[in-house]
């Protein structure tokens, strides 16, 4: 599993670099984010949640039945929508209230 960053969408904010616990994301010569050590990504999804322009996709590995499936996020300050796209292109959406998400 790993992420893929769409450089056309990236606005160079640097937030994904700051939150990646493995320091796996860097900026290229144009200030756009890229993942340098793909194989070391353990899929915490912190970068997806932080990217305000939703430039990052998270690919689900075959080991968990992903086989080409992926996740991406979009939303606003109040809600975060997780889009889950399976290998056949079928999509499900899970909506999370950001203010409630850390309550337990
Ligand atoms: S958080 Fe998104 S917009 Fe910001 S640097 Fe990372 S990929 Fe680019
Ligand atoms: S999913 Fe987690 S470990 Fe992987 S690049 Fe994003 S922040 Fe880093």
């Amino acid at each position: 599993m790993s992420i893929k960053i769409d450089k056309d969408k990236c606005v160079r904010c640097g937030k994904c670099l700051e939150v990646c616990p493995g320091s796996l994301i860097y900026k290229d010569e144009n200030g756009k984010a890229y993942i340098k050590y793909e194989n070391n990504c353990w899929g915490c999804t912190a970068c997806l949640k932080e990217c305000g322009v939703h430039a990052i996709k998270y690919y689900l590995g075959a080991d968990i039945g992903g086989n080409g499936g992926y996740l991406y996020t979009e939303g606003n300050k109040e809600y975060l929508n997780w889009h889950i796209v399976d290998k056949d292109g079928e999509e499900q959406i899970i909506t999370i209230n950001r203010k409630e998400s850390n309550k337990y």
Side-chain angles (χ1 to χ4, degrees), residues 40-68:
N40 291 345
C41 170
W42 61 86
C44 72
T45 70
C47 54
L48 275 87
K49 288 185 266 189
E50 285 302 317
C51 181
V53 296
H54 315 294
I56 306 177
K57 282 183 180 170
Y58 170 63
Y59 282 85
L60 303 167
D63 52 332
I64 55 171
N67 249 349

PDB file of all heavy atoms in Angstrom, residues 40-68:
ATOM      1  N   ASN A  40       7.895   2.390   2.343  1.00  0.00           N
ATOM      2  CA  ASN A  40       7.876   2.565   3.796  1.00  0.00           C
ATOM      3  C   ASN A  40       6.567   3.144   4.316  1.00  0.00           C
ATOM      4  O   ASN A  40       6.384   3.264   5.516  1.00  0.00           O
ATOM      5  CB  ASN A  40       9.031   3.464   4.239  1.00  0.00           C
ATOM      6  CG  ASN A  40      10.366   2.788   4.049  1.00  0.00           C
ATOM      7  OD1 ASN A  40      10.429   1.577   3.861  1.00  0.00           O
ATOM      8  ND2 ASN A  40      11.426   3.566   4.060  1.00  0.00           N
ATOM      9  N   CYS A  41       5.659   3.502   3.420  1.00  0.00           N
ATOM     10  CA  CYS A  41       4.365   4.049   3.842  1.00  0.00           C
ATOM     11  C   CYS A  41       3.567   2.942   4.502  1.00  0.00           C
ATOM     12  O   CYS A  41       3.373   1.878   3.931  1.00  0.00           O
ATOM     13  CB  CYS A  41       3.608   4.588   2.629  1.00  0.00           C
ATOM     14  SG  CYS A  41       1.888   5.017   2.986  1.00  0.00           S
ATOM     15  N   TRP A  42       3.111   3.184   5.738  1.00  0.00           N
ATOM     16  CA  TRP A  42       2.333   2.148   6.416  1.00  0.00           C
ATOM     17  C   TRP A  42       0.847   2.499   6.449  1.00  0.00           C
ATOM     18  O   TRP A  42       0.073   1.908   7.190  1.00  0.00           O
ATOM     19  CB  TRP A  42       2.861   1.834   7.799  1.00  0.00           C
ATOM     20  CG  TRP A  42       2.866   2.952   8.796  1.00  0.00           C
ATOM     21  CD1 TRP A  42       1.839   3.321   9.612  1.00  0.00           C
ATOM     22  CD2 TRP A  42       3.960   3.807   9.121  1.00  0.00           C
ATOM     23  NE1 TRP A  42       2.208   4.364  10.409  1.00  0.00           N
ATOM     24  CE2 TRP A  42       3.513   4.682  10.134  1.00  0.00           C
ATOM     25  CE3 TRP A  42       5.266   3.923   8.637  1.00  0.00           C
ATOM     26  CZ2 TRP A  42       4.337   5.660  10.676  1.00  0.00           C
ATOM     27  CZ3 TRP A  42       6.075   4.905   9.185  1.00  0.00           C
ATOM     28  CH2 TRP A  42       5.621   5.748  10.186  1.00  0.00           C
ATOM     29  N   GLY A  43       0.465   3.492   5.650  1.00  0.00           N
ATOM     30  CA  GLY A  43      -0.962   3.731   5.458  1.00  0.00           C
ATOM     31  C   GLY A  43      -1.703   4.349   6.619  1.00  0.00           C
ATOM     32  O   GLY A  43      -2.865   4.041   6.846  1.00  0.00           O
ATOM     33  N   CYS A  44      -1.055   5.259   7.323  1.00  0.00           N
ATOM     34  CA  CYS A  44      -1.747   5.888   8.462  1.00  0.00           C
ATOM     35  C   CYS A  44      -2.838   6.849   7.994  1.00  0.00           C
ATOM     36  O   CYS A  44      -3.714   7.210   8.755  1.00  0.00           O
ATOM     37  CB  CYS A  44      -0.748   6.603   9.352  1.00  0.00           C
ATOM     38  SG  CYS A  44      -0.086   8.121   8.626  1.00  0.00           S
ATOM     39  N   THR A  45      -2.752   7.304   6.767  1.00  0.00           N
ATOM     40  CA  THR A  45      -3.691   8.226   6.093  1.00  0.00           C
ATOM     41  C   THR A  45      -3.669   9.661   6.648  1.00  0.00           C
ATOM     42  O   THR A  45      -4.530  10.459   6.316  1.00  0.00           O
ATOM     43  CB  THR A  45      -5.152   7.706   6.073  1.00  0.00           C
ATOM     44  OG1 THR A  45      -5.706   7.736   7.393  1.00  0.00           O
ATOM     45  CG2 THR A  45      -5.250   6.312   5.489  1.00  0.00           C
ATOM     46  N   ALA A  46      -2.705   9.982   7.497  1.00  0.00           N
ATOM     47  CA  ALA A  46      -2.625  11.346   8.030  1.00  0.00           C
ATOM     48  C   ALA A  46      -2.499  12.378   6.903  1.00  0.00           C
ATOM     49  O   ALA A  46      -3.117  13.444   6.952  1.00  0.00           O
ATOM     50  CB  ALA A  46      -1.440  11.465   8.981  1.00  0.00           C
ATOM     51  N   CYS A  47      -1.718  12.058   5.897  1.00  0.00           N
ATOM     52  CA  CYS A  47      -1.510  13.023   4.812  1.00  0.00           C
ATOM     53  C   CYS A  47      -2.802  13.283   4.038  1.00  0.00           C
ATOM     54  O   CYS A  47      -3.079  14.413   3.630  1.00  0.00           O
ATOM     55  CB  CYS A  47      -0.392  12.558   3.881  1.00  0.00           C
ATOM     56  SG  CYS A  47      -0.606  10.906   3.205  1.00  0.00           S
ATOM     57  N   LEU A  48      -3.615  12.242   3.846  1.00  0.00           N
ATOM     58  CA  LEU A  48      -4.897  12.436   3.142  1.00  0.00           C
ATOM     59  C   LEU A  48      -5.802  13.382   3.905  1.00  0.00           C
ATOM     60  O   LEU A  48      -6.480  14.224   3.336  1.00  0.00           O
ATOM     61  CB  LEU A  48      -5.647  11.103   2.992  1.00  0.00           C
ATOM     62  CG  LEU A  48      -5.297  10.215   1.825  1.00  0.00           C
ATOM     63  CD1 LEU A  48      -4.133   9.324   2.198  1.00  0.00           C
ATOM     64  CD2 LEU A  48      -6.473   9.366   1.419  1.00  0.00           C
ATOM     65  N   LYS A  49      -5.810  13.222   5.234  1.00  0.00           N
ATOM     66  CA  LYS A  49      -6.708  14.028   6.054  1.00  0.00           C
ATOM     67  C   LYS A  49      -6.264  15.486   6.092  1.00  0.00           C
ATOM     68  O   LYS A  49      -7.075  16.381   6.216  1.00  0.00           O
ATOM     69  CB  LYS A  49      -6.769  13.459   7.479  1.00  0.00           C
ATOM     70  CG  LYS A  49      -7.539  12.143   7.534  1.00  0.00           C
ATOM     71  CD  LYS A  49      -7.701  11.647   8.942  1.00  0.00           C
ATOM     72  CE  LYS A  49      -6.609  10.690   9.305  1.00  0.00           C
ATOM     73  NZ  LYS A  49      -6.795  10.006  10.582  1.00  0.00           N
ATOM     74  N   GLU A  50      -4.976  15.742   5.970  1.00  0.00           N
ATOM     75  CA  GLU A  50      -4.456  17.105   6.065  1.00  0.00           C
ATOM     76  C   GLU A  50      -4.496  17.874   4.755  1.00  0.00           C
ATOM     77  O   GLU A  50      -4.549  19.103   4.764  1.00  0.00           O
ATOM     78  CB  GLU A  50      -3.006  17.088   6.563  1.00  0.00           C
ATOM     79  CG  GLU A  50      -2.871  16.808   8.017  1.00  0.00           C
ATOM     80  CD  GLU A  50      -3.620  17.806   8.898  1.00  0.00           C
ATOM     81  OE1 GLU A  50      -3.545  19.018   8.620  1.00  0.00           O
ATOM     82  OE2 GLU A  50      -4.279  17.370   9.840  1.00  0.00           O
ATOM     83  N   CYS A  51      -4.453  17.173   3.652  1.00  0.00           N
ATOM     84  CA  CYS A  51      -4.361  17.863   2.362  1.00  0.00           C
ATOM     85  C   CYS A  51      -5.683  18.565   2.039  1.00  0.00           C
ATOM     86  O   CYS A  51      -6.691  17.923   1.746  1.00  0.00           O
ATOM     87  CB  CYS A  51      -4.002  16.883   1.248  1.00  0.00           C
ATOM     88  SG  CYS A  51      -3.847  17.726  -0.342  1.00  0.00           S
ATOM     89  N   GLY A  52      -5.653  19.892   2.079  1.00  0.00           N
ATOM     90  CA  GLY A  52      -6.875  20.672   1.894  1.00  0.00           C
ATOM     91  C   GLY A  52      -7.421  20.652   0.479  1.00  0.00           C
ATOM     92  O   GLY A  52      -8.585  20.992   0.251  1.00  0.00           O
ATOM     93  N   VAL A  53      -6.584  20.267  -0.474  1.00  0.00           N
ATOM     94  CA  VAL A  53      -7.059  20.250  -1.865  1.00  0.00           C
ATOM     95  C   VAL A  53      -7.243  18.815  -2.371  1.00  0.00           C
ATOM     96  O   VAL A  53      -7.497  18.587  -3.547  1.00  0.00           O
ATOM     97  CB  VAL A  53      -6.102  21.028  -2.801  1.00  0.00           C
ATOM     98  CG1 VAL A  53      -6.080  22.490  -2.423  1.00  0.00           C
ATOM     99  CG2 VAL A  53      -4.693  20.443  -2.770  1.00  0.00           C
ATOM    100  N   HIS A  54      -7.104  17.867  -1.454  1.00  0.00           N
ATOM    101  CA  HIS A  54      -7.397  16.456  -1.754  1.00  0.00           C
ATOM    102  C   HIS A  54      -6.588  15.934  -2.948  1.00  0.00           C
ATOM    103  O   HIS A  54      -7.119  15.338  -3.875  1.00  0.00           O
ATOM    104  CB  HIS A  54      -8.901  16.261  -1.964  1.00  0.00           C
ATOM    105  CG  HIS A  54      -9.694  16.970  -0.910  1.00  0.00           C
ATOM    106  ND1 HIS A  54      -9.648  16.603   0.415  1.00  0.00           N
ATOM    107  CD2 HIS A  54     -10.489  18.070  -0.970  1.00  0.00           C
ATOM    108  CE1 HIS A  54     -10.400  17.428   1.125  1.00  0.00           C
ATOM    109  NE2 HIS A  54     -10.917  18.325   0.317  1.00  0.00           N
ATOM    110  N   ALA A  55      -5.309  16.221  -2.870  1.00  0.00           N
ATOM    111  CA  ALA A  55      -4.415  15.823  -3.964  1.00  0.00           C
ATOM    112  C   ALA A  55      -3.843  14.413  -3.775  1.00  0.00           C
ATOM    113  O   ALA A  55      -3.120  13.929  -4.634  1.00  0.00           O
ATOM    114  CB  ALA A  55      -3.264  16.817  -4.060  1.00  0.00           C
ATOM    115  N   ILE A  56      -4.168  13.777  -2.642  1.00  0.00           N
ATOM    116  CA  ILE A  56      -3.512  12.506  -2.317  1.00  0.00           C
ATOM    117  C   ILE A  56      -4.499  11.351  -2.361  1.00  0.00           C
ATOM    118  O   ILE A  56      -5.590  11.429  -1.790  1.00  0.00           O
ATOM    119  CB  ILE A  56      -2.855  12.581  -0.920  1.00  0.00           C
ATOM    120  CG1 ILE A  56      -1.923  13.796  -0.844  1.00  0.00           C
ATOM    121  CG2 ILE A  56      -2.093  11.291  -0.618  1.00  0.00           C
ATOM    122  CD1 ILE A  56      -1.281  14.012   0.515  1.00  0.00           C
ATOM    123  N   LYS A  57      -4.117  10.292  -3.036  1.00  0.00           N
ATOM    124  CA  LYS A  57      -4.892   9.043  -3.048  1.00  0.00           C
ATOM    125  C   LYS A  57      -4.100   7.984  -2.306  1.00  0.00           C
ATOM    126  O   LYS A  57      -2.868   7.959  -2.360  1.00  0.00           O
ATOM    127  CB  LYS A  57      -5.130   8.556  -4.482  1.00  0.00           C
ATOM    128  CG  LYS A  57      -6.226   9.288  -5.197  1.00  0.00           C
ATOM    129  CD  LYS A  57      -6.421   8.693  -6.566  1.00  0.00           C
ATOM    130  CE  LYS A  57      -7.526   9.436  -7.311  1.00  0.00           C
ATOM    131  NZ  LYS A  57      -7.580   9.051  -8.733  1.00  0.00           N
ATOM    132  N   TYR A  58      -4.840   7.113  -1.678  1.00  0.00           N
ATOM    133  CA  TYR A  58      -4.221   6.029  -0.925  1.00  0.00           C
ATOM    134  C   TYR A  58      -4.621   4.710  -1.571  1.00  0.00           C
ATOM    135  O   TYR A  58      -5.818   4.402  -1.647  1.00  0.00           O
ATOM    136  CB  TYR A  58      -4.698   6.102   0.525  1.00  0.00           C
ATOM    137  CG  TYR A  58      -4.342   4.930   1.362  1.00  0.00           C
ATOM    138  CD1 TYR A  58      -3.010   4.614   1.615  1.00  0.00           C
ATOM    139  CD2 TYR A  58      -5.324   4.133   1.917  1.00  0.00           C
ATOM    140  CE1 TYR A  58      -2.687   3.520   2.392  1.00  0.00           C
ATOM    141  CE2 TYR A  58      -5.000   3.036   2.697  1.00  0.00           C
ATOM    142  CZ  TYR A  58      -3.690   2.747   2.926  1.00  0.00           C
ATOM    143  OH  TYR A  58      -3.361   1.665   3.687  1.00  0.00           O
ATOM    144  N   TYR A  59      -3.654   3.970  -2.055  1.00  0.00           N
ATOM    145  CA  TYR A  59      -3.944   2.728  -2.775  1.00  0.00           C
ATOM    146  C   TYR A  59      -3.957   1.540  -1.827  1.00  0.00           C
ATOM    147  O   TYR A  59      -3.075   1.389  -0.990  1.00  0.00           O
ATOM    148  CB  TYR A  59      -2.933   2.531  -3.906  1.00  0.00           C
ATOM    149  CG  TYR A  59      -3.283   3.414  -5.061  1.00  0.00           C
ATOM    150  CD1 TYR A  59      -2.850   4.733  -5.093  1.00  0.00           C
ATOM    151  CD2 TYR A  59      -4.124   2.964  -6.068  1.00  0.00           C
ATOM    152  CE1 TYR A  59      -3.237   5.583  -6.117  1.00  0.00           C
ATOM    153  CE2 TYR A  59      -4.504   3.808  -7.101  1.00  0.00           C
ATOM    154  CZ  TYR A  59      -4.058   5.105  -7.112  1.00  0.00           C
ATOM    155  OH  TYR A  59      -4.454   5.944  -8.123  1.00  0.00           O
ATOM    156  N   LEU A  60      -4.993   0.739  -1.961  1.00  0.00           N
ATOM    157  CA  LEU A  60      -5.179  -0.423  -1.092  1.00  0.00           C
ATOM    158  C   LEU A  60      -4.436  -1.609  -1.686  1.00  0.00           C
ATOM    159  O   LEU A  60      -4.658  -1.962  -2.847  1.00  0.00           O
ATOM    160  CB  LEU A  60      -6.670  -0.753  -0.980  1.00  0.00           C
ATOM    161  CG  LEU A  60      -7.529   0.409  -0.455  1.00  0.00           C
ATOM    162  CD1 LEU A  60      -8.999   0.119  -0.684  1.00  0.00           C
ATOM    163  CD2 LEU A  60      -7.237   0.654   1.010  1.00  0.00           C
ATOM    164  N   GLY A  61      -3.583  -2.192  -0.886  1.00  0.00           N
ATOM    165  CA  GLY A  61      -2.761  -3.292  -1.368  1.00  0.00           C
ATOM    166  C   GLY A  61      -3.537  -4.586  -1.550  1.00  0.00           C
ATOM    167  O   GLY A  61      -4.615  -4.775  -0.972  1.00  0.00           O
ATOM    168  N   ALA A  62      -2.992  -5.468  -2.357  1.00  0.00           N
ATOM    169  CA  ALA A  62      -3.614  -6.771  -2.586  1.00  0.00           C
ATOM    170  C   ALA A  62      -3.728  -7.564  -1.293  1.00  0.00           C
ATOM    171  O   ALA A  62      -4.643  -8.382  -1.138  1.00  0.00           O
ATOM    172  CB  ALA A  62      -2.800  -7.551  -3.611  1.00  0.00           C
ATOM    173  N   ASP A  63      -2.808  -7.292  -0.353  1.00  0.00           N
ATOM    174  CA  ASP A  63      -2.815  -8.034   0.910  1.00  0.00           C
ATOM    175  C   ASP A  63      -4.087  -7.790   1.720  1.00  0.00           C
ATOM    176  O   ASP A  63      -4.449  -8.598   2.569  1.00  0.00           O
ATOM    177  CB  ASP A  63      -1.574  -7.679   1.748  1.00  0.00           C
ATOM    178  CG  ASP A  63      -1.379  -6.193   1.935  1.00  0.00           C
ATOM    179  OD1 ASP A  63      -1.817  -5.424   1.055  1.00  0.00           O
ATOM    180  OD2 ASP A  63      -0.806  -5.800   2.952  1.00  0.00           O
ATOM    181  N   ILE A  64      -4.760  -6.672   1.481  1.00  0.00           N
ATOM    182  CA  ILE A  64      -6.031  -6.441   2.177  1.00  0.00           C
ATOM    183  C   ILE A  64      -7.197  -6.406   1.184  1.00  0.00           C
ATOM    184  O   ILE A  64      -8.233  -5.798   1.433  1.00  0.00           O
ATOM    185  CB  ILE A  64      -5.995  -5.155   3.039  1.00  0.00           C
ATOM    186  CG1 ILE A  64      -5.582  -3.940   2.187  1.00  0.00           C
ATOM    187  CG2 ILE A  64      -5.076  -5.316   4.231  1.00  0.00           C
ATOM    188  CD1 ILE A  64      -5.756  -2.621   2.933  1.00  0.00           C
ATOM    189  N   GLY A  65      -6.996  -7.059   0.046  1.00  0.00           N
ATOM    190  CA  GLY A  65      -8.076  -7.194  -0.928  1.00  0.00           C
ATOM    191  C   GLY A  65      -8.284  -5.989  -1.816  1.00  0.00           C
ATOM    192  O   GLY A  65      -9.301  -5.873  -2.486  1.00  0.00           O
ATOM    193  N   GLY A  66      -7.310  -5.076  -1.817  1.00  0.00           N
ATOM    194  CA  GLY A  66      -7.467  -3.839  -2.586  1.00  0.00           C
ATOM    195  C   GLY A  66      -7.406  -4.057  -4.083  1.00  0.00           C
ATOM    196  O   GLY A  66      -8.298  -3.678  -4.814  1.00  0.00           O
ATOM    197  N   ASN A  67      -6.316  -4.655  -4.550  1.00  0.00           N
ATOM    198  CA  ASN A  67      -6.221  -5.016  -5.967  1.00  0.00           C
ATOM    199  C   ASN A  67      -6.531  -3.871  -6.918  1.00  0.00           C
ATOM    200  O   ASN A  67      -7.280  -4.034  -7.869  1.00  0.00           O
ATOM    201  CB  ASN A  67      -7.187  -6.165  -6.255  1.00  0.00           C
ATOM    202  CG  ASN A  67      -6.450  -7.438  -6.567  1.00  0.00           C
ATOM    203  OD1 ASN A  67      -5.237  -7.416  -6.761  1.00  0.00           O
ATOM    204  ND2 ASN A  67      -7.183  -8.531  -6.622  1.00  0.00           N
ATOM    205  N   GLY A  68      -5.994  -2.710  -6.662  1.00  0.00           N
ATOM    206  CA  GLY A  68      -6.274  -1.560  -7.533  1.00  0.00           C
ATOM    207  C   GLY A  68      -7.287  -0.605  -6.945  1.00  0.00           C
ATOM    208  O   GLY A  68      -7.522   0.463  -7.503  1.00  0.00           O
TER     209      GLY A  68
END
